[in-house]
Amino acid sequence: MEMIGNTSTSPLSFPTHYILPEDKRPHLSQVTPLVSLPVIDLNDVDLEDGQGPSPLVQKVSKACEEYGFFQIINHGVPQELCDSMLNAVANFFELPDEERARFATNDYTKRVRVTKYYLKDEHQQKIPLWSETLVHPWDVIDNKFIFTHMLPENPPQYREVVAQYSKEIGALMTQLLSLISRALGLQKDHLQKNIGEKPTKNAQANYYPPCPEPELTLGLASHTDLCALTILRQTEGIIALQVLKDDNWVSIDPVPNAFVVMSNGRFKSVHHRTVTNKNLRRVSMAMFYAPNPDTVIGPVEDLVDEEHPPIYRSYHYAEFLQEFRGQEGTRRRVTNLFEL
Ligand code: OGA
Ligand code: NI
């Protein structure tokens, strides 16, 4: 597999095999800057007064319904830990190519892998995107990170920093799943319980080298994440993440020391993508929380009645994954398959 080396020091001319067909390019002049974006302060009042959901839960509900994503502040995860984690990610991708090549594969069954995503053109030719990703599992049991031995040994701080980071994110996920359950009018442990005993937890570290031609390529093409909840941390000060809102691409203004949270469900699974930056390299870490392949996914029973009949049939998460992966390189439309 071909890799992008560290291009931050040597300006490179744009390789022609990276040029996307016209209709797949980002069309940056048509992207809307985000005017009002949902930012949720986790310190907001979270007391129910008997009249209905707390102000915090109401904000979560509105953000999930209107956008399918929000940014959170006052989350309690130390800024220094997040900075160290993103630095470790950058250092990993800036190691000599051989170090990353050991993990390079397009085989999804490999739990640890370095991959490049691509789009297919009209001749089904694969056109690589301007990014590289490292995927690996993360999980914490009894306050211990359990996948240390699987993580890259270099850079030397990677294992420790990602273990620490995972502990913080694990706790934050529980808090968010409970807020989102309540926002749906369910018991606070509903989603976590129903996603199941053995959730799939993967982390995706993304590396975007500076790109001489941001108009001709994308960092990540339009996609929805295949999990129940994503918590994303990104390099500060670089605008690159975009979400689709009412059929327009809208740029997310990254709030300092915030996480981007994306949820799926009645609550939309937001389409999003990233664009590249001419001068700066950017990194991000997406932490996913998903069901186990054997888990049956279906409409929440408590939310279905005569007025709100189920829109989707029930299916195994494995079936969803298979369909999603079969559509690699295209604009994936997986949910149609499960519509009733
Ligand atoms: C992802 C993703 C966005 C980003 O990893 O699924 O959407 O900002 N990343 O890197
Ligand atoms: Ni994503």
Side-chain angles (χ1 to χ4, degrees):
M1 180 171 39
E2 185 205 18
M3 295 291 164
I4 302 172
N6 177 7
T7 55
S8 51
T9 45
S10 60
L12 86 184
S13 60
F14 194 73
T16 53
H17 67 285
Y18 275 86
I19 301 177
L20 288 173
E22 166 70 26
D23 64 323
K24 298 199 161 56
R25 293 180 199 165
H27 299 282
L28 298 170
S29 64
Q30 292 166 30
V31 172
T32 323
L34 193 58
V35 211
S36 74
L37 72 181
V39 175
I40 290 180
D41 183 341
L42 288 188
N43 280 347
D44 255 3
V45 181
D46 192 18
L47 287 175
E48 319 228 325
D49 57 3
Q51 306 286 327
S54 71
L56 177 60
V57 168
Q58 284 180 36
K59 283 180 196 158
V60 170
S61 177
K62 192 163 184 285
C64 289
E65 236 158 51
E66 283 182 17
Y67 293 88
F69 99 97
F70 50 90
Q71 298 191 69
I72 48 170
I73 56 168
N74 289 323
H75 41 67
V77 183
Q79 163 108 42
E80 309 77 67
L81 176 59
C82 300
D83 292 347
S84 312
M85 182 279 297
L86 289 181
N87 276 333
V89 167
N91 292 345
F92 173 78
F93 286 103
E94 287 164 3
L95 290 171
D97 288 356
E98 312 84 75
E99 286 275 348
R100 296 191 316 293
R102 299 196 295 136
F103 301 102
T105 176
N106 287 325
D107 178 354
Y108 290 118
T109 63
K110 292 272 182 294
R111 302 222 46 201
V112 181
R113 55 187 191 269
V114 167
T115 314
K116 275 178 69 67
Y117 289 105
Y118 57 83
L119 276 178
K120 281 186 190 156
D121 68 9
E122 70 274 29
H123 311 294
Q124 302 300 305
Q125 277 299 94
K126 292 181 183 178
I127 305 177
L129 299 170
W130 201 263
S131 61
E132 221 181 318
T133 67
L134 164 68
V135 175
H136 61 68
W138 69 275
D139 204 359
V140 176
I141 294 176
D142 296 334
N143 204 34
K144 204 172 169 318
F145 183 82
I146 57 168
F147 293 114
T148 306
H149 58 288
M150 292 172 84
L151 299 191
E153 287 179 277
N154 284 313
Q157 78 279 24
Y158 193 89
R159 291 181 164 189
E160 181 51 32
V161 139
V162 169
Q164 284 303 331
Y165 185 73
S166 299
K167 287 184 195 172
E168 297 283 345
I169 297 300
L172 192 57
M173 288 230 170
T174 301
Q175 190 185 355
L176 286 165
L177 285 170
S178 128
L179 280 172
I180 296 168
S181 298
R182 289 165 60 206
L184 284 164
L186 302 165
Q187 293 295 325
K188 67 178 176 27
D189 59 354
H190 186 102
L191 287 176
Q192 192 145 24
K193 242 194 196 151
N194 280 267
I195 293 168
E197 294 271 306
K198 288 195 183 133
T200 311
K201 300 184 190 175
N202 277 319
Q204 176 166 315
N206 301 297
Y207 182 73
Y208 305 95
C211 173
E213 295 290 350
E215 277 287 2
L216 300 183
T217 182
L218 283 163
L220 288 180
S222 175
H223 68 284
T224 55
D225 294 339
L226 19 84
C227 54
L229 188 67
T230 306
I231 298 184
L232 178 90
R233 184 78 185 198
Q234 47 176 332
T235 302
E236 286 197 1
I238 303 181
I239 299 171
L241 179 64
Q242 302 178 353
V243 301
L244 197 61
K245 169 90 175 117
D246 307 325
D247 278 333
N248 291 311
W249 286 107
V250 178
S251 203
I252 311 276
D253 191 1
V255 173
N257 194 19
F259 292 99
V260 177
V261 180
M262 296 186 258
S263 75
N264 287 351
R266 163 173 109 199
F267 291 165
K268 282 197 232 336
S269 175
V270 69
H271 276 94
H272 56 285
R273 67 179 189 180
T274 54
V275 295
T276 58
N277 188 288
K278 221 175 169 127
N279 307 307
L280 302 168
R281 69 120 164 82
R282 172 176 180 270
V283 294
S284 70
M285 174 72 101
M287 305 284 275
F288 303 125
Y289 188 103
N292 182 283
D294 301 326
T295 305
V296 175
I297 320 275
V300 177
E301 268 168 40
D302 296 354
L303 299 180
V304 173
D305 58 27
E306 265 175 42
E307 272 167 55
H308 306 94
I311 305 170
Y312 299 108
R313 68 175 169 84
S314 297
Y315 52 90
H316 284 103
Y317 183 60
E319 205 186 329
F320 175 87
L321 285 178
Q322 191 185 10
E323 182 59 25
F324 197 90
R325 285 171 180 159
Q327 293 184 29
E328 168 98 66
T330 66
R331 177 92 181 256
R332 306 191 235 217
R333 291 275 178 221
V334 182
T335 47
N336 300 1
L337 190 80
F338 302 110
E339 266 168 27
L340 287 170

